[in-house]
């Protein structure tokens, strides 16, 4: 049983949750919604439950809901920071259910960083909060995975100028090791192939367009190769994502956020999934945000959430089989 968090109640989370249940109620994977019942009860049958075990019994005929309270009624498209505590509590309770063995994985509906941070939430988003809840702060790594491509940015939600200064051989090595272990344990790849993008155009062209490849990336690759990782590069970023190139690796390690997420979302936006690596639990989420602009209009597509649910179930099963 998967546990699906509430997300921002004013976003499209409630809508795509309902559509996801309609799509999976007979085929699975089964999930329990951890949030305010009024967000999902108007359009379909729900059943209030207290545990994931109870949710298993009702999933085929009603959306199971572990209830939380909102501080104020949610208005689609109008986020309200008074409801931020329920957003945060849903995440914390979901992690607790997986840690206790009552659920197999956490799937998170989109949240608004701005809304939760107005209440003093000290994290830039889901990922570092999940790592803190799991007792592994700083060990989290973000992967975006789709049918055509998997990417991992070494530096994530920082300005591009800052990303370049953050890039070090140690950070590349740390990230690559986490990715390697996760691909073995959760994606069932015995010998993962990691391709590394250069930072500069043409991967620096032997120093003519920048020295970061020579000074930072190549030393990291040599260290990792000496440890036995199947890791190659650095490759020119403008040719790393062609169909021919993608056939030669299992994941692309990218130097900054947009270097990886632009090709991933271009190829697989509808079915892209955000996966947090480096945690003792499985966590996935859709690769889109709250979409306040279309909330409440019944036009949101649940495709990415469905992909996140299905991938979470697969990863949880793989991890179970490798333990």
């Amino acid at each position: 049983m998967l546990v699906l968090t509430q997300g921002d109640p004013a976003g499209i989370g409630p809508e795509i949750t309902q559509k996801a249940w309609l799509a999976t109620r007979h085929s699975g994977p089964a999930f329990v919604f951890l949030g305010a019942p009024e967000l999902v009860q108007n359009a379909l049958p729900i059943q209030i439950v207290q545990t994931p075990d109870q949710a298993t019994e009702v999933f085929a005929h009603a959306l199971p809901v572990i209830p939380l309270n909102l501080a104020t009624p949610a208005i689609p498209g109008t986020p309200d920071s008074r409801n931020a505590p329920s957003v945060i509590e849903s995440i914390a309770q979901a992690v607790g259910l997986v840690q206790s063995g009552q659920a197999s994985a956490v799937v998170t509906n989109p949240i608004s960083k701005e809304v939760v941070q107005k209440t003093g939430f000290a994290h830039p988003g889901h990922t570092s909060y999940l790592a803190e809840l799991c007792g592994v702060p700083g060990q989290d790594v973000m992967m975006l995975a789709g049918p055509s491509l998997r990417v991992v940015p070494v530096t994530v939600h920082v300005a591009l100028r800052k990303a370049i200064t953050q890039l070090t051989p140690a950070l590349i090595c740390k990230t690559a090791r986490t990715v390697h272990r996760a691909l073995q344990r959760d994606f069932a790849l015995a010998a993962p192939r990691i391709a590394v993008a250069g930072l500069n155009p043409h991967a620096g062209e032997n120093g003519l367009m920048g020295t970061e490849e020579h000074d930072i990336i190549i030393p990291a690759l040599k260290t990792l190769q000496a440890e036995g990782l199947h890791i190659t590069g650095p490759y020119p970023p403008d040719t790393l994502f062609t169909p021919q190139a993608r056939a030669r690796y299992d994941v692309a390690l990218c130097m900054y956020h947009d270097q990886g997420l632009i090709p991933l979302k271009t190829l697989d936006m509808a079915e892209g999934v955000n996966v947090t690596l480096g945690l003792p639990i499985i966590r996935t989420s859709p690769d889109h945000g709250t979409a306040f602009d279309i909330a409440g209009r019944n036009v949101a597509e649940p495709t990415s959430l469905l992909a996140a649910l299905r991938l979470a179930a697969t990863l949880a099963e793989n991890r179970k089989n490798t333990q």
Side-chain angles (χ1 to χ4, degrees):
M1 174 62 64
L2 309 174
V3 55
L4 176 62
T5 65
Q6 173 182 273
D8 193 297
I12 61 170
E15 179 184 332
I16 60 176
T17 295
Q18 295 170 63
K19 291 177 177 178
W21 176 76
L22 289 170
T24 61
R25 55 181 168 162
H26 298 308
S27 62
F31 63 90
V32 57
F33 178 66
L34 208 168
E38 62 267 29
L39 296 175
V40 292
Q41 67 186 2
N42 293 329
L44 46 76
I46 72 165
Q47 178 68 52
I48 301 299
V49 298
Q50 300 304 317
T51 67
D53 282 346
Q54 294 174 350
T56 302
E57 301 170 4
V58 305
F59 186 77
H61 59 81
L63 171 61
V65 178
I66 297 176
L68 290 178
N69 295 320
L70 297 178
T72 188
I75 301 173
T78 306
D80 194 320
S81 60
R82 289 176 291 180
N83 283 328
S86 71
V87 174
I88 298 166
E89 178 62 21
S90 178
I91 300 167
Q93 285 196 29
V95 169
L97 289 172
V98 179
Q99 289 175 323
S100 66
Q102 297 180 72
S104 59
V106 174
V107 181
T108 56
N109 263 314
I111 67 172
S112 166
K113 300 176 180 66
E114 180 183 1
V115 170
V116 294
Q117 287 175 0
K118 284 181 179 178
T119 65
F121 187 68
H123 298 273
H126 269 114
T127 306
S128 65
Y129 182 49
L130 289 161
E132 180 183 278
L133 290 170
C134 291
V136 289
Q139 301 303 307
D140 50 286
V141 168
M142 183 177 79
M143 171 188 281
L144 273 292
S148 305
L149 178 65
R150 301 185 190 100
V151 298
V152 171
V154 175
T155 63
V156 190
H157 295 128
V158 295
L160 182 56
R161 187 184 302 273
K162 188 174 182 180
I164 295 170
T165 64
Q166 283 187 352
L167 200 62
T168 64
L171 181 59
I172 293 171
C173 286
K174 174 185 173 183
T175 304
R177 291 176 187 127
T178 298
V179 171
H180 177 78
R181 288 192 297 268
L183 289 176
Q184 288 183 317
R185 180 175 63 170
D186 299 335
F187 287 81
L189 296 173
R193 301 166 300 166
I194 303 174
V196 178
L199 175 69
N200 297 299
H202 302 185
E205 198 154 317
N206 295 320
L208 295 176
M209 299 182 186
T211 62
E212 286 83 3
E213 285 77 13
H214 181 271
D215 297 340
I216 299 172
I217 301 174
I218 292 174
L221 296 188
K222 289 181 177 178
T223 297
L224 294 163
Q225 289 165 349
E227 295 173 5
L229 272 67
H230 190 305
I231 187 165
T232 56
Y235 297 108
D238 60 351
T239 59
L240 184 57
F241 304 104
T242 65
Q244 295 81 6
R246 297 199 310 270
R248 296 193 292 268
Y249 60 81
D250 299 304
V251 64
L253 198 65
C254 302
M255 296 301 103
Y256 57 93
H257 182 279
D258 284 6
Q259 187 183 60
L261 271 66
I262 287 174
L264 185 286
K265 292 190 176 185
T266 300
L267 291 167
D268 291 329
M269 181 69 191
E271 296 182 78
V273 178
N274 187 331
V275 187
T276 305
L277 311 180
L279 302 180
I281 66 170
I282 299 293
R283 179 265 179 154
T284 67
S285 75
D287 72 344
H288 58 71
T290 53
F292 291 130
D293 58 322
I294 62 169
R297 293 169 48 191
N298 197 34
V299 296
E301 290 290 339
T303 312
S304 185
L305 176 57
L306 286 167
L309 290 163
R310 289 166 179 151
L311 183 58
T314 297
L315 299 184
E317 186 64 23
N318 287 342
R319 183 175 291 196
K320 179 182 176 182
N321 291 336
T322 58
Q323 286 178 344

